[in-house]
mmCIF file of all heavy atoms in Angstrom:
data_model
loop_
_atom_site.group_PDB
_atom_site.id
_atom_site.type_symbol
_atom_site.label_atom_id
_atom_site.label_comp_id
_atom_site.label_asym_id
_atom_site.label_seq_id
_atom_site.Cartn_x
_atom_site.Cartn_y
_atom_site.Cartn_z
ATOM 1 N N LEU A 411 96.430 123.595 109.213
ATOM 2 C CA LEU A 411 97.332 122.636 109.951
ATOM 3 C C LEU A 411 96.579 121.415 110.488
ATOM 4 O O LEU A 411 97.104 120.324 110.471
ATOM 5 C CB LEU A 411 98.032 123.297 111.075
ATOM 6 C CG LEU A 411 99.011 122.444 111.939
ATOM 7 C CD1 LEU A 411 100.128 121.967 110.995
ATOM 8 C CD2 LEU A 411 99.525 123.176 113.061
ATOM 9 N N ILE A 412 95.338 121.595 110.909
ATOM 10 C CA ILE A 412 94.523 120.466 111.381
ATOM 11 C C ILE A 412 94.361 119.475 110.204
ATOM 12 O O ILE A 412 94.454 118.300 110.419
ATOM 13 C CB ILE A 412 93.094 120.961 111.873
ATOM 14 C CG1 ILE A 412 93.340 121.737 113.113
ATOM 15 C CG2 ILE A 412 92.226 119.786 112.174
ATOM 16 C CD1 ILE A 412 93.907 120.998 114.308
ATOM 17 N N ILE A 413 94.132 120.026 109.036
ATOM 18 C CA ILE A 413 93.985 119.106 107.898
ATOM 19 C C ILE A 413 95.359 118.324 107.588
ATOM 20 O O ILE A 413 95.310 117.206 107.280
ATOM 21 C CB ILE A 413 93.556 119.904 106.638
ATOM 22 C CG1 ILE A 413 92.133 120.572 106.878
ATOM 23 C CG2 ILE A 413 93.540 119.030 105.381
ATOM 24 C CD1 ILE A 413 91.710 121.493 105.756
ATOM 25 N N VAL A 414 96.465 119.098 107.627
ATOM 26 C CA VAL A 414 97.734 118.544 107.422
ATOM 27 C C VAL A 414 98.012 117.390 108.407
ATOM 28 O O VAL A 414 98.455 116.329 108.078
ATOM 29 C CB VAL A 414 98.845 119.555 107.435
ATOM 30 C CG1 VAL A 414 100.213 118.969 107.392
ATOM 31 C CG2 VAL A 414 98.613 120.546 106.276
ATOM 32 N N ILE A 415 97.854 117.690 109.687
ATOM 33 C CA ILE A 415 98.168 116.696 110.715
ATOM 34 C C ILE A 415 97.240 115.483 110.655
ATOM 35 O O ILE A 415 97.662 114.380 110.849
ATOM 36 C CB ILE A 415 98.105 117.322 112.078
ATOM 37 C CG1 ILE A 415 99.185 118.479 112.255
ATOM 38 C CG2 ILE A 415 98.316 116.344 113.200
ATOM 39 C CD1 ILE A 415 100.544 117.997 112.073
ATOM 40 N N SER A 416 95.937 115.734 110.352
ATOM 41 C CA SER A 416 95.026 114.615 110.233
ATOM 42 C C SER A 416 95.390 113.718 109.078
ATOM 43 O O SER A 416 95.399 112.482 109.258
ATOM 44 C CB SER A 416 93.541 115.150 110.107
ATOM 45 O OG SER A 416 93.195 115.994 111.134
ATOM 46 N N LEU A 417 95.719 114.292 108.001
ATOM 47 C CA LEU A 417 95.993 113.506 106.819
ATOM 48 C C LEU A 417 97.364 112.735 107.097
ATOM 49 O O LEU A 417 97.545 111.574 106.638
ATOM 50 C CB LEU A 417 96.173 114.380 105.563
ATOM 51 C CG LEU A 417 96.439 113.683 104.277
ATOM 52 C CD1 LEU A 417 95.350 112.685 103.939
ATOM 53 C CD2 LEU A 417 96.523 114.703 103.062
ATOM 54 N N THR A 418 98.314 113.408 107.727
ATOM 55 C CA THR A 418 99.519 112.743 108.108
ATOM 56 C C THR A 418 99.357 111.518 109.003
ATOM 57 O O THR A 418 99.933 110.501 108.798
ATOM 58 C CB THR A 418 100.530 113.705 108.765
ATOM 59 O OG1 THR A 418 100.702 114.815 107.890
ATOM 60 C CG2 THR A 418 101.822 113.056 109.065
ATOM 61 N N SER A 419 98.504 111.694 110.028
ATOM 62 C CA SER A 419 98.276 110.628 110.980
ATOM 63 C C SER A 419 97.610 109.497 110.370
ATOM 64 O O SER A 419 97.901 108.320 110.719
ATOM 65 C CB SER A 419 97.425 111.204 112.162
ATOM 66 O OG SER A 419 98.067 112.298 112.736
ATOM 67 N N ILE A 420 96.691 109.747 109.456
ATOM 68 C CA ILE A 420 95.965 108.617 108.801
ATOM 69 C C ILE A 420 96.926 107.883 107.789
ATOM 70 O O ILE A 420 96.891 106.700 107.721
ATOM 71 C CB ILE A 420 94.697 109.144 108.087
ATOM 72 C CG1 ILE A 420 93.753 109.695 109.066
ATOM 73 C CG2 ILE A 420 94.052 108.087 107.246
ATOM 74 C CD1 ILE A 420 92.567 110.378 108.466
ATOM 75 N N SER A 421 97.749 108.692 107.101
ATOM 76 C CA SER A 421 98.592 108.064 106.115
ATOM 77 C C SER A 421 99.672 107.191 106.706
ATOM 78 O O SER A 421 100.174 106.234 106.054
ATOM 79 C CB SER A 421 99.332 109.170 105.335
ATOM 80 O OG SER A 421 98.369 109.994 104.601
ATOM 81 N N VAL A 422 100.045 107.441 108.027
ATOM 82 C CA VAL A 422 101.057 106.588 108.662
ATOM 83 C C VAL A 422 100.676 105.182 108.695
ATOM 84 O O VAL A 422 101.454 104.253 108.420
ATOM 85 C CB VAL A 422 101.334 107.146 110.009
ATOM 86 C CG1 VAL A 422 102.117 106.117 110.828
ATOM 87 C CG2 VAL A 422 102.133 108.368 110.024
ATOM 88 N N PHE A 423 99.361 104.884 108.954
ATOM 89 C CA PHE A 423 98.942 103.490 109.179
ATOM 90 C C PHE A 423 98.396 102.911 107.846
ATOM 91 O O PHE A 423 97.684 101.825 107.984
ATOM 92 C CB PHE A 423 97.931 103.493 110.249
ATOM 93 C CG PHE A 423 98.573 103.788 111.641
ATOM 94 C CD1 PHE A 423 98.384 105.028 112.177
ATOM 95 C CD2 PHE A 423 99.293 102.833 112.283
ATOM 96 C CE1 PHE A 423 98.955 105.348 113.464
ATOM 97 C CE2 PHE A 423 99.892 103.165 113.519
ATOM 98 C CZ PHE A 423 99.689 104.399 114.078
ATOM 99 N N VAL A 424 98.519 103.483 106.740
ATOM 100 C CA VAL A 424 98.206 102.817 105.496
ATOM 101 C C VAL A 424 99.165 101.748 105.201
ATOM 102 O O VAL A 424 98.911 100.749 104.523
ATOM 103 C CB VAL A 424 98.176 103.889 104.375
ATOM 104 C CG1 VAL A 424 97.960 103.205 103.006
ATOM 105 C CG2 VAL A 424 97.080 104.914 104.637
ATOM 106 N N SER A 425 100.414 101.917 105.747
ATOM 107 C CA SER A 425 101.416 100.823 105.551
ATOM 108 C C SER A 425 100.963 99.571 106.294
ATOM 109 O O SER A 425 100.442 99.608 107.407
ATOM 110 C CB SER A 425 102.791 101.276 106.181
ATOM 111 O OG SER A 425 103.676 100.199 106.156
ATOM 112 N N PRO A 426 101.112 98.388 105.651
ATOM 113 C CA PRO A 426 100.690 97.094 106.265
ATOM 114 C C PRO A 426 101.583 96.635 107.380
ATOM 115 O O PRO A 426 101.253 95.653 108.070
ATOM 116 C CB PRO A 426 100.681 96.092 105.088
ATOM 117 C CG PRO A 426 101.675 96.662 104.104
ATOM 118 C CD PRO A 426 101.588 98.184 104.258
ATOM 119 N N SER A 427 102.683 97.316 107.657
ATOM 120 C CA SER A 427 103.638 96.928 108.640
ATOM 121 C C SER A 427 103.639 97.903 109.768
ATOM 122 O O SER A 427 103.854 99.135 109.544
ATOM 123 C CB SER A 427 105.072 96.770 108.128
ATOM 124 O OG SER A 427 105.986 96.585 109.075
ATOM 125 N N TYR A 428 103.386 97.509 111.000
ATOM 126 C CA TYR A 428 103.386 98.418 112.110
ATOM 127 C C TYR A 428 104.784 98.963 112.463
ATOM 128 O O TYR A 428 104.916 100.160 112.742
ATOM 129 C CB TYR A 428 102.868 97.717 113.411
ATOM 130 C CG TYR A 428 102.824 98.521 114.592
ATOM 131 C CD1 TYR A 428 101.823 99.527 114.807
ATOM 132 C CD2 TYR A 428 103.794 98.449 115.654
ATOM 133 C CE1 TYR A 428 101.814 100.350 115.928
ATOM 134 C CE2 TYR A 428 103.741 99.216 116.778
ATOM 135 C CZ TYR A 428 102.808 100.221 116.893
ATOM 136 O OH TYR A 428 102.769 100.991 118.041
ATOM 137 N N GLU A 429 105.815 98.102 112.239
ATOM 138 C CA GLU A 429 107.213 98.578 112.504
ATOM 139 C C GLU A 429 107.570 99.677 111.503
ATOM 140 O O GLU A 429 108.206 100.664 111.852
ATOM 141 C CB GLU A 429 108.128 97.414 112.342
ATOM 142 C CG GLU A 429 108.202 96.485 113.531
ATOM 143 C CD GLU A 429 106.964 95.591 113.570
ATOM 144 O OE1 GLU A 429 106.302 95.439 112.573
ATOM 145 O OE2 GLU A 429 106.643 95.019 114.636
ATOM 146 N N PHE A 430 107.122 99.507 110.213
ATOM 147 C CA PHE A 430 107.450 100.544 109.279
ATOM 148 C C PHE A 430 106.656 101.767 109.518
ATOM 149 O O PHE A 430 107.111 102.908 109.190
ATOM 150 C CB PHE A 430 107.170 99.949 107.884
ATOM 151 C CG PHE A 430 107.794 100.856 106.743
ATOM 152 C CD1 PHE A 430 109.152 100.815 106.551
ATOM 153 C CD2 PHE A 430 106.951 101.572 105.892
ATOM 154 C CE1 PHE A 430 109.710 101.580 105.516
ATOM 155 C CE2 PHE A 430 107.495 102.318 104.891
ATOM 156 C CZ PHE A 430 108.893 102.299 104.656
ATOM 157 N N ALA A 431 105.440 101.644 110.053
ATOM 158 C CA ALA A 431 104.655 102.823 110.419
ATOM 159 C C ALA A 431 105.396 103.643 111.531
ATOM 160 O O ALA A 431 105.306 104.871 111.471
ATOM 161 C CB ALA A 431 103.252 102.413 110.871
ATOM 162 N N ILE A 432 105.915 103.028 112.474
ATOM 163 C CA ILE A 432 106.809 103.716 113.524
ATOM 164 C C ILE A 432 107.954 104.460 112.815
ATOM 165 O O ILE A 432 108.297 105.608 113.171
ATOM 166 C CB ILE A 432 107.259 102.747 114.583
ATOM 167 C CG1 ILE A 432 106.095 102.147 115.281
ATOM 168 C CG2 ILE A 432 108.206 103.447 115.497
ATOM 169 C CD1 ILE A 432 106.453 101.122 116.360
ATOM 170 N N CYS A 433 108.596 103.795 111.841
ATOM 171 C CA CYS A 433 109.690 104.425 111.125
ATOM 172 C C CYS A 433 109.205 105.734 110.420
ATOM 173 O O CYS A 433 109.884 106.719 110.388
ATOM 174 C CB CYS A 433 110.229 103.455 110.088
ATOM 175 S SG CYS A 433 111.475 104.070 109.006
ATOM 176 N N LEU A 434 107.931 105.694 109.826
ATOM 177 C CA LEU A 434 107.399 106.893 109.197
ATOM 178 C C LEU A 434 107.141 107.998 110.189
ATOM 179 O O LEU A 434 107.396 109.209 109.836
ATOM 180 C CB LEU A 434 106.122 106.490 108.446
ATOM 181 C CG LEU A 434 106.222 105.475 107.326
ATOM 182 C CD1 LEU A 434 104.919 105.333 106.639
ATOM 183 C CD2 LEU A 434 107.302 105.876 106.313
ATOM 184 N N ARG A 435 106.696 107.637 111.343
ATOM 185 C CA ARG A 435 106.444 108.685 112.374
ATOM 186 C C ARG A 435 107.668 109.366 112.817
ATOM 187 O O ARG A 435 107.710 110.603 112.873
ATOM 188 C CB ARG A 435 105.775 108.003 113.637
ATOM 189 C CG ARG A 435 104.383 107.551 113.367
ATOM 190 C CD ARG A 435 103.898 106.454 114.328
ATOM 191 N NE ARG A 435 103.940 106.909 115.725
ATOM 192 C CZ ARG A 435 103.664 106.161 116.780
ATOM 193 N NH1 ARG A 435 103.310 104.899 116.564
ATOM 194 N NH2 ARG A 435 103.746 106.626 117.998
ATOM 195 N N LEU A 436 108.782 108.552 113.025
ATOM 196 C CA LEU A 436 110.054 109.215 113.444
ATOM 197 C C LEU A 436 110.621 110.026 112.242
ATOM 198 O O LEU A 436 111.223 111.085 112.427
ATOM 199 C CB LEU A 436 111.086 108.126 113.829
ATOM 200 C CG LEU A 436 110.607 107.341 115.082
ATOM 201 C CD1 LEU A 436 111.650 106.273 115.445
ATOM 202 C CD2 LEU A 436 110.483 108.285 116.284
ATOM 203 N N GLY A 437 110.472 109.465 111.031
ATOM 204 C CA GLY A 437 110.972 110.203 109.856
ATOM 205 C C GLY A 437 110.259 111.535 109.689
ATOM 206 O O GLY A 437 110.869 112.554 109.234
ATOM 207 N N SER A 438 108.990 111.600 110.011
ATOM 208 C CA SER A 438 108.215 112.870 109.941
ATOM 209 C C SER A 438 108.778 113.880 110.871
ATOM 210 O O SER A 438 108.921 115.070 110.521
ATOM 211 C CB SER A 438 106.712 112.573 110.159
ATOM 212 O OG SER A 438 106.058 113.801 110.132
ATOM 213 N N TRP A 439 109.110 113.473 112.133
ATOM 214 C CA TRP A 439 109.732 114.407 113.060
ATOM 215 C C TRP A 439 111.040 114.883 112.619
ATOM 216 O O TRP A 439 111.423 116.115 112.673
ATOM 217 C CB TRP A 439 109.903 113.726 114.381
ATOM 218 C CG TRP A 439 108.594 113.656 115.183
ATOM 219 C CD1 TRP A 439 107.698 112.627 115.214
ATOM 220 C CD2 TRP A 439 108.143 114.582 116.159
ATOM 221 N NE1 TRP A 439 106.649 112.911 116.103
ATOM 222 C CE2 TRP A 439 106.903 114.161 116.680
ATOM 223 C CE3 TRP A 439 108.588 115.869 116.555
ATOM 224 C CZ2 TRP A 439 106.148 114.782 117.594
ATOM 225 C CZ3 TRP A 439 107.773 116.599 117.479
ATOM 226 C CH2 TRP A 439 106.592 116.051 117.965
ATOM 227 N N ALA A 440 111.911 114.033 112.014
ATOM 228 C CA ALA A 440 113.168 114.382 111.491
ATOM 229 C C ALA A 440 113.037 115.482 110.378
ATOM 230 O O ALA A 440 113.842 116.402 110.325
ATOM 231 C CB ALA A 440 113.985 113.215 111.053
ATOM 232 N N MET A 441 112.103 115.166 109.486
ATOM 233 C CA MET A 441 111.857 116.191 108.368
ATOM 234 C C MET A 441 111.458 117.552 108.894
ATOM 235 O O MET A 441 111.856 118.546 108.368
ATOM 236 C CB MET A 441 110.831 115.606 107.423
ATOM 237 C CG MET A 441 111.326 114.468 106.540
ATOM 238 S SD MET A 441 112.654 115.023 105.407
ATOM 239 C CE MET A 441 113.142 113.448 104.725
ATOM 240 N N VAL A 442 110.589 117.547 109.933
ATOM 241 C CA VAL A 442 110.155 118.870 110.466
ATOM 242 C C VAL A 442 111.309 119.611 111.073
ATOM 243 O O VAL A 442 111.498 120.817 110.936
ATOM 244 C CB VAL A 442 109.048 118.584 111.518
ATOM 245 C CG1 VAL A 442 108.759 119.898 112.286
ATOM 246 C CG2 VAL A 442 107.758 118.109 110.846
ATOM 247 N N ILE A 443 112.210 118.880 111.768
ATOM 248 C CA ILE A 443 113.390 119.551 112.357
ATOM 249 C C ILE A 443 114.330 120.083 111.225
ATOM 250 O O ILE A 443 114.835 121.218 111.322
ATOM 251 C CB ILE A 443 114.161 118.526 113.247
ATOM 252 C CG1 ILE A 443 113.272 118.164 114.445
ATOM 253 C CG2 ILE A 443 115.506 119.094 113.686
ATOM 254 C CD1 ILE A 443 113.927 117.063 115.335
ATOM 255 N N ALA A 444 114.490 119.295 110.186
ATOM 256 C CA ALA A 444 115.256 119.767 109.020
ATOM 257 C C ALA A 444 114.649 121.016 108.324
ATOM 258 O O ALA A 444 115.414 121.968 108.030
ATOM 259 C CB ALA A 444 115.498 118.674 107.984
ATOM 260 N N ALA A 445 113.332 120.984 108.230
ATOM 261 C CA ALA A 445 112.648 122.218 107.592
ATOM 262 C C ALA A 445 112.751 123.316 108.577
ATOM 263 O O ALA A 445 112.769 124.538 108.138
ATOM 264 C CB ALA A 445 111.217 121.844 107.344
ATOM 265 N N THR A 446 112.813 123.154 109.888
ATOM 266 C CA THR A 446 112.914 124.284 110.842
ATOM 267 C C THR A 446 114.245 124.998 110.681
ATOM 268 O O THR A 446 114.319 126.154 110.905
ATOM 269 C CB THR A 446 112.780 123.705 112.287
ATOM 270 O OG1 THR A 446 111.517 123.113 112.334
ATOM 271 C CG2 THR A 446 112.761 124.854 113.284
ATOM 272 N N ILE A 447 115.316 124.220 110.339
ATOM 273 C CA ILE A 447 116.697 124.815 110.273
ATOM 274 C C ILE A 447 116.873 125.638 108.989
ATOM 275 O O ILE A 447 117.222 126.798 109.066
ATOM 276 C CB ILE A 447 117.713 123.685 110.411
ATOM 277 C CG1 ILE A 447 117.530 122.989 111.759
ATOM 278 C CG2 ILE A 447 119.079 124.298 110.286
ATOM 279 C CD1 ILE A 447 118.440 121.719 111.898
ATOM 280 N N VAL A 448 116.671 125.013 107.895
ATOM 281 C CA VAL A 448 116.998 125.723 106.560
ATOM 282 C C VAL A 448 115.803 125.618 105.563
ATOM 283 O O VAL A 448 116.021 125.737 104.361
ATOM 284 C CB VAL A 448 118.210 125.183 105.923
ATOM 285 C CG1 VAL A 448 119.496 125.656 106.667
ATOM 286 C CG2 VAL A 448 118.247 123.647 105.919
ATOM 287 N N GLY A 449 114.620 125.371 106.078
ATOM 288 C CA GLY A 449 113.444 125.338 105.125
ATOM 289 C C GLY A 449 113.416 124.200 104.167
ATOM 290 O O GLY A 449 113.766 123.070 104.489
ATOM 291 N N PHE A 450 112.953 124.529 102.947
ATOM 292 C CA PHE A 450 112.884 123.487 101.941
ATOM 293 C C PHE A 450 114.196 122.816 101.595
ATOM 294 O O PHE A 450 114.242 121.665 101.273
ATOM 295 C CB PHE A 450 112.246 124.160 100.678
ATOM 296 C CG PHE A 450 111.930 123.158 99.602
ATOM 297 C CD1 PHE A 450 110.775 122.303 99.753
ATOM 298 C CD2 PHE A 450 112.733 123.070 98.447
ATOM 299 C CE1 PHE A 450 110.554 121.392 98.705
ATOM 300 C CE2 PHE A 450 112.428 122.128 97.476
ATOM 301 C CZ PHE A 450 111.361 121.353 97.578
ATOM 302 N N TYR A 451 115.239 123.628 101.657
ATOM 303 C CA TYR A 451 116.572 122.970 101.385
ATOM 304 C C TYR A 451 116.953 121.958 102.441
ATOM 305 O O TYR A 451 117.577 120.912 102.132
ATOM 306 C CB TYR A 451 117.690 124.036 101.388
ATOM 307 C CG TYR A 451 117.519 125.095 100.239
ATOM 308 C CD1 TYR A 451 116.951 126.334 100.498
ATOM 309 C CD2 TYR A 451 117.863 124.691 98.955
ATOM 310 C CE1 TYR A 451 116.777 127.279 99.447
ATOM 311 C CE2 TYR A 451 117.693 125.620 97.900
ATOM 312 C CZ TYR A 451 117.127 126.890 98.135
ATOM 313 O OH TYR A 451 116.948 127.762 97.174
ATOM 314 N N GLY A 452 116.508 122.114 103.638
ATOM 315 C CA GLY A 452 116.753 121.163 104.773
ATOM 316 C C GLY A 452 116.037 119.829 104.410
ATOM 317 O O GLY A 452 116.601 118.764 104.654
#
Side-chain angles (χ1 to χ4, degrees):
L411 180 62
I412 294 295
I413 298 174
V414 170
I415 297 299
S416 301
L417 185 57
T418 302
S419 303
I420 296 173
S421 300
V422 164
F423 292 103
V424 175
S425 171
S427 171
Y428 180 75
E429 286 73 17
F430 195 70
I432 296 177
C433 175
L434 298 183
R435 290 159 59 182
L436 297 177
S438 178
W439 281 92
M441 286 294 174
V442 171
I443 295 174
T446 304
I447 299 174
V448 286
F450 185 73
Y451 294 103

